[in-house]
C-alpha cells in the first residue's frame, strides 16, 4: 500500500470524526508513538503476556477485568459447610447463632438427601416402566406355544397399549373380509339395541362357502358345544362351565351323530353286503353295520350268543355309540343272556337320563365287572359295562376304541361327579387334565393334525386352550380369533384379570387344568396387520373390547381407537373434520356413538395421548374436534411461541400454524369460546405478534410499529415504560419466551429508521432531522431500559446486542 492510499484513508477517517460530536485532540505522530511506548512499558511491567491476552479477550466482550477482580476480593472466602467453632456455655449469642446455622445446615442436608432419594426412585421407576413396555411389546409379538407359561401374579401392572411400532401393511384377504362383513353386521345390531344373533351360527354359515372340510368341522363342533342353556353374564364363564353337564352331553351328541354318519357312509358303500331293510332306525342301522364288520373270522371271543345272527355285545355297544339307549335295551331283551341288573340300569338311563344311576345298582354292576367281566374275552362286553357303571377308568379299550373319536366318547361316558363306593372315578377335570397335560400335543401329533387336537380340546370344554393352539398358525389364526369373539359374546370364554397377561395363562383360583384366554391381546394381534390399511374394519373388532378396562381403569375400546388414530394419523377419517363454520362432519367413530361412547370424549382422549407424546400440532386438531377450545388454544400458543419470530416458508410449521390461527380467529369473531381468558388473551396476542414479525420480515416497518403500539407490550417512549412493565408481569410464559426477539426486532427497526434519516441529509432541515433522531434514540433507550427492568432472564447476548445497537444510534 503506498502513501497516497494511506493519506486518503486518513482524510476519510478525519471527515468521519468531524461529523461526530467528539472533543478534538491534536497530537503529532511522534507524540502518539511516545504515548504508545509508555503505555506498553507500563503494561508489560505489571502483567505477563497471558494477563494481557485475557484483558484483550474479555475487553472485546465488554467485560472490565479489574472491576471483577475487586468484586471477587470482597467476597468471603469462608466455607459455608465447614464445622462450626466450639463456644463456651455462657456465650448465648454465639450459641443461638450456631443453633440457627445448624438448623439451616440440617435442612439443607435433609433436602439434599430427599432430593437424591427421589431422583433415584424416579430413575428406577422409569427403568422399570421401560422394561415393562418392552415386555408388553415382546408378548404382543409372541405368536407361539404359551400354554406352559403360567402367570399366577394378581398384582396389576401398568399397561402400555399405545405402542408405536408399525405392523406390516397388508389388506384383508377373501376369508378375512367375509368375517369382517359379518362382524360389521353384528355390531350394527348391537348398537341399534335389537336382539343379537348367535355369532357361532352366523360364522358357521359363511364358513361353508370356504370349501374347507376341516374348518367346517371345527365350526360344527362349536355349534354343538354352544347349544346349551344361556350362561349368566355376572358369573365367571369357567366356573359356570365346570358346573354344567350340558357341555358333556353336547360333546357326546356330536360324537354320536358323527358316528351315525360314518355308519351310513360305510353301509352306502356296501349296500349288497349290508342287506339293510325294514323301517329306518338306529337298530337297523347298527344291525347292518355289524353284519358288515363281523363274520366268523373276526368274532372269536365274543360271548352271550347272537341276535338275528349278529353278536350281542357289539350290537349293544354300537347302539350306545350312536346314543340310542332304547335300541341297546331292545338288544338285551332279544337276547337270552339274562343279566337283569344290567337291563335295569339301561331302563333307568332311558327313562331318567338326567339322573345318575342308583348307587346300589351301580355297585352291583361294578362288583359283577370285577368278579367276572373284567377278565372276559369279549372286549365289547367289558366296554359296555364300564360305560354303564363307570368302572375301571384305567382300561384303554384298545380293541373297541380304534379312533380318537371312539376313545373320547368312551372317556366322556365314564365321567362321574362322585363315587358311590369310594372307588376311583373319572371326573370332568380329570379328563381335561388327561387331554391337556398328560397326553398333550405330542401324543395327538398336533403339529400335523391341528384340527384333531383342537377337536379333543373343544369337546372337553377347554375352549381357551383350543383357540390359543389354533391361533399359533397363520392358516387357522383368523378362524381362532372369530371363534373367540363368538364364544365371548356368549360368555363362554374365561378372560384374565389383567389384560397385560400372556395369551394363555393360569389363575390359581380356577379348577385344574383350566386356562384363561386374553381375548384383548388376541384381537389386537389379529388387527395389527391391517389396522393401517383398513381402519374401519379394525374399529369394528376393537368394539368387542368395549366392556374391558386396562389396569388404570381406562376403557379398552377407547384406548385401542386412540392408539389406532395415533398410528394412522388420519383423524379426519376417524373423528370427522371441523368445517370453517365450526360444525364437525361425521367420522368412523360416530357409528359407535352411544351413552357410553361419545366422539368428543374419544377425540379428547386421543388428544391427551398426543400431548404426552409431544405431538402438539395433532393434539390441537383433536382438541378442536372435541370442542375443548381451551386446550386447543393453549397448545396452539405453545407452538406459536416457538415459531412466531421466524420467516414463513412454504410447508413449514409456521405456515401451518398461521392457517390454524386464522381459522380460530374467524370463529372467534362469530362466537365466544368457553375457555380461560388468560389462554384466549395469550393466543390473540401471539397472533398479533405473528403479524408484527410478518411485517418486520417484509420490511414494512411502519405497520409493524403500529401493531406494537396496539398491543402495548414494548415501550416506544420512556413514558410507556412503566405501563409496559406492568403489562409484562401479566403475560404468559409463551409470550415471555418470544419477548427477547420482539425487543431485538423493534430495536433493529429503530436502527434502520435511524440510518435512513441520518443518511438522507438533503430531505430534512437540520432541526427536524435532529428531532427525529433524538426521538428514535429515546425509543431505543426505552427498549434497553425495558430489557433491564423486566423480571425475566433474557438470553445471554440479548442485552449486549440491544446496548450495542443503541450505542450505534448515539
Amino acid at each position: 500500500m503506498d502513501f497516497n492510499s494511506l493519506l486518503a484513508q486518513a482524510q476519510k477517517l478525519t471527515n468521519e470524526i468531524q461529523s461526530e460530536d467528539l472533543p478534538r485532540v491534536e497530537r503529532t505522530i511522534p507524540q502518539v508513538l511516545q504515548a504508545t511506548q509508555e503505555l506498553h512499558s507500563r503494561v508489560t511491567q505489571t502483567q505477563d503476556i497471558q494477563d494481557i491476552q485475557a484483558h484483550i479477550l474479555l475487553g472485546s466482550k465488554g467485560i472490565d477485568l479489574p472491576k471483577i477482580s475487586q468484586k471477587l476480593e470482597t467476597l468471603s472466602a469462608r466455607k459455608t459447610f465447614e464445622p462450626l467453632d466450639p463456644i463456651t456455655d455462657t456465650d448465648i449469642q454465639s450459641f443461638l447463632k450456631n443453633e440457627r446455622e445448624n438448623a439451616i445446615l440440617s435442612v439443607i442436608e435433609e433436602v439434599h438427601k430427599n432430593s437424591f432419594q427421589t431422583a433415584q426412585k424416579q430413575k428406577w421407576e422409569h427403568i422399570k416402566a421401560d422394561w415393562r413396555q418392552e415386555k408388553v411389546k415382546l408378548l404382543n409379538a409372541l405368536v407361539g406355544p404359551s400354554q406352559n407359561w403360567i402367570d399366577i401374579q394378581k398384582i396389576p401392572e401398568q399397561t402400555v397399549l399405545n405402542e408405536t411400532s408399525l405392523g406390516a401393511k397388508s389388506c384383508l384377504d377373501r376369508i378375512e373380509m367375509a368375517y369382517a362383513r359379518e362382524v360389521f353386521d353384528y355390531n350394527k345390531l348391537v348398537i341399534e339395541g335389537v336382539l343379537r344373533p348367535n355369532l357361532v351360527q352366523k360364522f358357521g354359515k359363511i364358513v361353508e362357502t370356504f370349501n374347507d372340510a376341516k374348518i367346517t368341522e371345527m365350526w360344527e363342533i362349536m355349534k354343538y358345544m354352544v347349544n346349551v342353556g344361556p350362561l349368566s353374564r355376572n358369573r365367571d364363564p369357567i366356573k359356570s362351565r365346570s358346573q354344567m353337564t350340558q357341555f358333556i352331553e353336547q360333546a357326546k351328541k356330536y360324537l354320536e351323530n358323527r358316528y351315525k354318519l360314518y355308519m351310513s357312509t360305510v353301509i352306502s358303500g356296501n349296500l349288497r353286503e349290508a342287506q339293510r331293510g325294514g323301517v329306518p332306525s338306529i337298530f337297523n342301522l347298527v344291525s347292518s353295520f355289524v353284519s358288515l364288520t363281523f363274520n366268523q373270522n373276526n368274532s372269536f371271543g365274543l360271548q352271550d350268543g347272537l341276535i338275528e345272527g349278529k353278536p350281542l355285545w357289539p350290537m349293544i355297544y354300537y347302539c350306545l355309540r350312536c346314543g340310542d339307549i332304547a335300541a341297546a335295551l331292545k338288544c338285551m331283551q332279544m337276547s337270552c343272556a339274562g343279566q337283569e341288573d344290567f337291563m335295569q340300569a339301561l331302563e333307568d338311563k332311558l327313562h331318567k337320563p338326567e339322573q345318575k344311576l342308583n348307587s346300589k345298582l351301580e355297585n352291583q354292576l361294578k362288583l359283577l365287572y370285577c368278579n367276572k367281566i373284567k377278565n372276559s374275552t369279549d372286549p365289547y362286553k367289558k366296554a359296555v359295562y364300564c360305560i354303564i357303571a363307570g368302572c375301571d377308568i384305567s382300561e384303554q379299550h384298545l380293541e373297541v376304541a380304534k379312533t380318537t373319536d371312539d376313545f373320547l366318547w368312551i372317556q366322556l361316558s365314564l365321567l362321574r361327579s362322585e363315587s358311590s363306593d369310594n372307588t376311583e372315578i373319572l371326573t370332568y377335570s380329570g379328563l381335561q387334565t388327561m387331554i391337556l397335560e398328560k397326553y398333550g400335543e405330542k401324543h395327538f401329533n398336533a403339529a400335523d393334525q391341528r384340527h384333531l387336537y383342537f377337536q379333543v380340546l373343544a369337546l372337553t370344554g377347554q375352549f381357551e386352550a383350543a383357540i390359543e393352539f389354533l391361533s399359533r398358525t397363520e392358516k387357522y389364526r383368523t378362524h381362532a380369533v372369530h371363534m373367540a369373539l363368538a364364544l365371548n359374546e356368549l360368555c363362554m370364554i374365561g378372560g384374565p384379570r389383567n389384560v397385560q397377561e400372556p395369551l394363555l395363562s393360569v389363575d390359581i383360583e380356577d379348577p385344574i387344568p383350566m386356562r384363561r384366554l386374553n381375548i384383548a391381546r388376541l384381537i389386537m394381534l389379529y388387527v395389527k396387520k391391517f389396522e393401517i390399511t383398513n381402519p374401519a374394519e379394525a374399529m369394528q373388532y376393537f368394539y368387542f373390547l368395549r366392556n374391558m378396562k386396562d389396569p388404570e381403569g381406562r376403557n379398552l375400546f377407547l384406548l385401542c381407537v386412540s392408539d389406532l388414530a395415533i398410528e394412522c394419523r388420519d383423524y379426519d377419517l376417524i373423528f370427522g373434520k371441523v368445517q370453517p363454520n365450526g360444525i364437525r362432519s361425521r367420522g368412523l367413530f360416530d357409528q359407535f356413538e352411544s351413552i357410553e361412547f361419545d366422539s368428543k370424549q374419544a377425540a379428547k382422549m386421543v388428544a391427551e395421548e398426543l400431548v404426552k407424546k409431544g405431538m402438539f400440532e395433532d393434539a390441537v386438531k383433536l382438541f378442536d374436534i372435541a370442542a375443548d377450545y381451551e386446550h386447543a388454544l393453549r397448545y396452539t400458543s405453545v407452538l406459536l411461541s416457538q415459531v412466531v419470530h421466524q420467516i414463513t416458508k412454504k410447508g413449514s410449521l409456521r405456515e401451518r400454524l398461521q392457517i390454524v390461527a386464522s381459522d380460530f380467529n374467524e370463529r372467534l369473531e362469530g362466537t365466544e369460546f368457553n375457555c380461560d381468558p388468560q389462554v384466549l388473551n395469550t393466543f390473540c396476542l401471539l397472533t398479533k405478534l405473528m403479524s408484527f414479525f410478518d411485517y418486520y420480515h417484509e420490511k414494512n416497518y411502519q405497520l409493524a410499529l403500529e401493531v406494537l403500539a396496539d398491543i402495548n407490550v414494548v415501550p416506544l417512549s420512556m413514558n410507556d415504560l412503566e405501563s409496559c412493565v406492568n403489562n409484562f408481569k401479566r403475560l404468559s410464559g409463551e409470550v415471555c419466551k418470544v419477548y427477547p426477539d420482539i425487543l431485538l426486532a423493534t430495536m433493529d427497526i429503530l436502527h434502520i429508521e435511524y440510518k435512513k434519516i441520518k443518511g438522507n441529509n438533503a430531505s430534512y432541515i437540520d432541526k427536524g432531522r435532529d428531532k427525529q433522531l433524538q426521538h428514535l434514540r429515546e425509543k431505543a433507550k426505552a427498549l434497553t431500559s425495558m430489557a433491564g427492568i423486566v423480571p425475566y432472564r433474557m438470553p445471554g447476548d440479548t442485552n449486549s446486542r440491544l446496548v450495542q445497537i443503541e450505542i450505534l444510534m448515539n
Side-chain angles (χ1 to χ4, degrees):
M1 185 177 290
D2 56 7
F3 287 104
N4 293 329
S5 300
L6 290 174
L7 179 61
Q9 289 186 5
Q11 289 175 350
K12 183 179 179 181
L13 290 172
T14 303
N15 292 333
E16 291 179 356
I17 292 172
Q18 287 177 355
S19 64
E20 302 289 342
D21 297 333
L22 297 175
R24 298 293 297 240
V25 178
E26 294 183 357
R27 287 189 181 183
T28 63
I29 292 179
Q31 288 175 335
V32 173
L33 179 60
Q34 183 181 358
T36 304
Q37 290 175 348
E38 290 177 357
L39 179 61
H40 182 268
S41 62
R42 288 201 306 270
V43 171
T44 54
Q45 288 175 3
T46 58
Q47 296 177 323
D48 56 13
I49 299 300
Q50 291 183 350
D51 289 339
I52 295 172
Q53 293 175 347
H55 276 279
I56 295 172
L57 175 63
L58 295 175
S60 64
K61 299 297 181 181
I63 300 174
D64 191 346
L65 189 58
K67 288 185 179 180
I68 292 179
S69 301
Q70 293 174 4
K71 292 180 181 179
L72 292 174
E73 289 175 358
T74 60
L75 295 176
S76 174
R78 176 183 175 184
K79 295 181 179 179
T80 306
F81 298 104
E82 66 182 2
L84 302 176
D85 297 331
I87 58 173
T88 59
D89 295 338
T90 57
D91 191 350
I92 297 175
Q93 289 185 347
S94 299
F95 173 77
L96 293 176
K97 180 181 178 183
N98 279 6
E99 286 295 315
R100 178 176 176 274
E101 293 183 356
N102 276 327
I104 294 173
L105 291 173
S106 62
V107 170
I108 293 173
E109 181 63 24
E110 186 68 22
V111 170
H112 172 73
K113 182 179 178 181
N114 291 340
S115 300
F116 178 76
Q117 291 177 349
T118 302
Q120 285 290 101
K121 183 179 179 182
Q122 291 179 351
K123 181 188 77 172
W124 283 111
E125 286 179 353
H126 181 72
I127 292 174
K128 289 178 180 178
D130 286 346
W131 276 106
R132 266 198 300 270
Q133 185 175 354
E134 289 299 320
K135 182 177 74 173
V136 170
K137 289 180 180 179
L138 289 173
L139 289 176
N140 284 338
L142 181 63
V143 181
S146 62
Q147 69 178 30
N148 294 325
W149 188 339
I150 299 176
D151 185 1
I152 61 174
Q153 292 184 355
K154 299 301 178 63
I155 302 174
E157 298 179 352
Q158 179 184 1
T159 183
V160 183
L161 293 176
N162 48 343
E163 301 170 7
T164 57
S165 58
L166 288 176
K169 289 187 177 182
S170 61
C171 295
L172 295 169
D173 59 27
R174 179 180 62 88
I175 294 176
E176 291 167 340
M177 187 57 74
Y179 276 126
R181 282 194 293 267
E182 292 296 332
V183 166
F184 174 80
D185 294 339
Y186 177 79
N187 284 339
K188 185 178 180 182
L189 295 175
V190 172
I191 294 168
E192 292 173 354
V194 299
L195 184 64
R196 302 181 186 182
N198 189 320
L199 260 184
V200 175
Q201 300 294 337
K202 286 178 68 68
F203 289 152
K205 287 182 180 179
I206 66 168
V207 164
E208 295 174 1
T209 64
F210 299 159
N211 297 322
D212 190 324
K214 293 180 179 178
I215 300 299
T216 304
E217 183 181 324
M218 292 177 185
W219 278 103
E220 191 67 23
I221 293 172
M222 289 291 102
K223 289 179 184 179
Y224 272 89
M225 296 304 291
V226 301
N227 191 20
V228 297
L231 299 183
S232 172
R233 294 185 177 272
N234 299 322
R235 291 193 62 189
D236 184 75
I238 289 181
K239 293 181 180 178
S240 299
R241 199 189 315 155
S242 62
Q243 295 172 1
M244 289 182 65
T245 59
Q246 287 181 316
F247 289 102
I248 302 173
E249 296 303 321
Q250 286 301 114
K252 289 177 62 179
K253 186 176 180 180
Y254 169 78
L255 293 171
E256 289 162 358
N257 290 341
R258 182 179 168 87
Y259 204 77
K260 284 188 286 187
L261 181 61
Y262 164 73
M263 282 184 173
S264 299
T265 304
V266 172
I267 293 171
S268 299
N270 300 274
L271 289 176
R272 183 186 297 269
E273 292 80 2
Q275 297 180 357
R276 186 174 182 180
V279 180
S281 64
I282 296 299
F283 180 84
N284 290 331
L285 177 70
V286 171
S287 178
S288 299
F289 180 77
V290 171
S291 66
L292 285 174
T293 308
F294 294 91
N295 51 46
Q296 294 181 354
N297 296 328
N298 59 2
S299 299
F300 180 76
L302 300 181
Q303 298 177 346
D304 297 335
L306 305 173
I307 53 171
E308 295 184 351
K310 287 91 176 177
L312 171 64
W313 293 109
M315 284 287 295
I316 296 175
Y317 169 78
Y318 286 116
C319 286
L320 294 175
R321 182 69 178 83
C322 293
D324 194 336
I325 298 177
L329 182 60
K330 181 179 178 180
C331 293
M332 284 298 299
Q333 291 171 347
M334 292 174 65
S335 72
C336 302
Q339 303 182 22
E340 289 77 8
D341 291 340
F342 184 80
M343 292 181 63
Q344 183 61 46
L346 288 178
E347 289 181 356
D348 289 350
K349 281 187 172 292
L350 177 62
H351 297 107
K352 301 176 182 178
E354 296 181 357
Q355 294 184 9
K356 63 179 183 178
L357 203 62
N358 180 277
S359 58
K360 181 179 179 181
L361 181 59
E362 188 174 81
N363 290 336
Q364 289 175 352
L365 291 176
K366 287 182 178 180
L367 184 61
L368 179 62
Y369 176 83
C370 292
N371 293 335
K372 295 183 179 180
I373 300 173
K374 186 174 183 178
N375 298 320
S376 171
T377 59
D378 191 336
Y380 290 93
K381 186 176 183 179
K382 290 196 295 184
V384 168
Y385 265 86
C386 288
I387 290 168
I388 298 301
C391 53
D392 199 6
I393 62 172
S394 60
E395 176 62 43
Q396 297 295 314
H397 304 287
L398 297 178
E399 296 180 43
V400 176
K402 298 177 181 179
T403 64
T404 303
D405 282 10
D406 295 336
F407 163 78
L408 189 57
W409 179 82
I410 290 175
Q411 298 301 316
L412 289 168
S413 302
L414 291 174
L415 295 181
R416 298 291 186 274
S417 59
E418 59 183 17
S419 175
S420 58
D421 58 351
N422 296 324
T423 56
E424 187 180 5
I425 60 173
L426 180 63
T427 62
Y428 197 31
S429 176
L431 176 59
Q432 292 171 335
T433 305
M434 180 196 304
I435 297 296
L436 183 64
E437 296 182 354
K438 181 180 178 181
Y439 292 147
E441 299 177 22
K442 186 176 180 180
H443 175 83
F444 292 98
N445 193 18
D448 297 326
Q449 303 183 82
R450 292 189 171 274
H451 66 288
L452 177 64
Y453 190 55
F454 168 84
Q455 173 183 322
V456 295
L457 288 174
L459 290 174
T460 52
Q462 302 181 84
F463 302 141
E464 295 80 9
I467 292 172
E468 187 274 338
F469 169 74
L470 211 59
S471 68
R472 296 182 204 165
T473 55
E474 188 68 29
K475 179 181 178 181
Y476 295 111
R477 186 172 300 129
T478 302
H479 308 287
V481 170
H482 290 87
M483 286 179 186
L485 293 177
L487 293 180
N488 187 63
E489 290 297 294
L490 296 173
C491 299
M492 291 187 181
I493 289 289
R497 300 175 185 270
N498 185 348
V499 295
Q500 261 196 303
E501 291 201 10
L503 196 57
L504 199 66
S505 60
V506 172
D507 193 313
I508 56 175
E509 295 183 3
D510 290 339
I512 297 174
M514 297 307 294
R515 305 289 196 259
R516 289 189 174 268
L517 181 70
N518 192 342
I519 190 170
R521 188 183 296 279
L522 182 66
I523 291 174
M524 286 186 280
L525 281 172
Y526 174 69
V527 170
K528 195 170 187 64
K529 66 178 181 179
F530 62 83
E531 62 181 353
I532 302 299
T533 57
N534 302 79
E537 285 75 14
M539 291 179 67
Q540 295 291 337
Y541 284 95
F542 289 147
Y543 189 65
F544 285 93
L545 307 179
R546 62 191 178 275
N547 297 321
M548 301 181 190
K549 296 185 181 298
D550 73 343
E552 297 177 11
R554 297 175 296 181
N555 185 277
L556 211 54
F557 169 55
L558 293 179
L559 203 59
C560 289
V561 171
S562 173
D563 289 340
L564 174 63
I566 295 172
E567 199 76 31
C568 67
R569 298 189 67 180
D570 195 346
Y571 310 115
D572 295 344
L573 175 66
I574 296 177
F575 298 109
K577 185 178 181 180
V578 179
Q579 306 298 329
N581 57 5
I583 299 175
R584 181 181 65 86
S585 61
R586 289 178 62 84
L588 291 175
F589 192 84
D590 288 277
Q591 62 187 311
F592 305 106
E593 189 116 11
S594 62
I595 298 175
E596 299 177 353
F597 305 114
D598 178 46
S599 295
K600 293 182 178 180
Q601 173 195 2
K604 185 175 181 180
M605 184 176 180
V606 177
E608 290 171 350
E609 289 296 322
L610 289 169
V611 169
K612 293 177 183 178
K613 294 177 178 292
M615 302 167 67
F616 290 167
E617 187 177 0
D618 290 345
V620 168
K621 182 182 292 186
L622 268 299
F623 278 126
D624 189 19
I625 292 173
D628 189 344
Y629 301 117
E630 181 172 335
H631 284 93
L633 295 179
R634 173 173 293 158
Y635 290 109
T636 303
S637 300
V638 171
L639 291 172
L640 283 173
S641 66
Q642 301 174 18
V643 299
V644 70
H645 59 285
Q646 298 175 359
I647 300 175
T648 301
K649 296 180 181 178
K650 188 172 181 60
S652 64
L653 174 61
R654 192 181 193 277
E655 184 185 48
R656 298 195 300 271
L657 290 176
Q658 203 163 18
I659 297 172
V660 172
S662 175
D663 180 49
F664 278 132
N665 282 325
E666 288 180 6
R667 282 191 273 161
L668 278 170
E669 293 177 0
T671 57
E672 291 186 3
F673 285 173
N674 184 20
C675 64
D676 187 358
Q678 175 72 12
V679 174
L680 185 59
N681 292 337
T682 299
F683 170 75
C684 294
L685 188 57
L686 284 170
T687 54
K688 291 179 180 179
L689 287 174
M690 182 178 284
S691 300
F692 162 74
F693 280 105
D694 285 338
Y695 292 137
Y696 167 68
H697 294 306
E698 294 169 3
K699 298 184 179 181
N700 196 340
Y701 302 129
Q702 188 61 37
L703 291 176
L705 292 175
E706 288 179 5
V707 173
L708 284 181
D710 181 40
I711 60 179
N712 195 28
V713 294
V714 172
L716 296 177
S717 67
M718 293 301 294
N719 296 330
D720 298 335
L721 184 60
E722 184 177 354
S723 63
C724 288
V725 170
N726 293 331
N727 289 340
F728 182 87
K729 294 178 181 178
R730 292 191 290 269
L731 296 179
S732 64
E734 288 80 13
V735 180
C736 292
K737 182 179 180 180
V738 190
Y739 204 77
D741 297 290
I742 301 172
L743 291 175
L744 289 172
T746 308
M747 184 65 84
D748 189 40
I749 292 173
L750 296 178
H751 183 230
I752 291 171
E753 292 291 323
Y754 180 87
K755 290 192 297 183
K756 180 180 179 181
I757 294 173
K758 190 172 182 181
N760 196 354
N761 295 332
S763 302
Y764 298 92
I765 303 174
D766 289 343
K767 288 186 178 180
R769 187 190 68 171
D770 291 343
K771 187 176 181 180
Q772 291 191 23
L773 293 175
Q774 184 61 34
H775 185 58
L776 291 174
R777 293 191 194 102
E778 183 184 354
K779 289 183 177 181
K781 184 178 180 181
L783 291 178
T784 54
S785 301
M786 183 71 179
I789 295 174
V790 292
Y792 182 75
R793 186 167 184 174
M794 301 281 182
D797 61 339
T798 301
N799 287 320
S800 62
R801 290 171 62 186
L802 290 171
V803 171
Q804 288 173 5
I805 296 174
E806 184 189 4
I807 291 173
L808 292 175
M809 296 170 63
N810 289 311

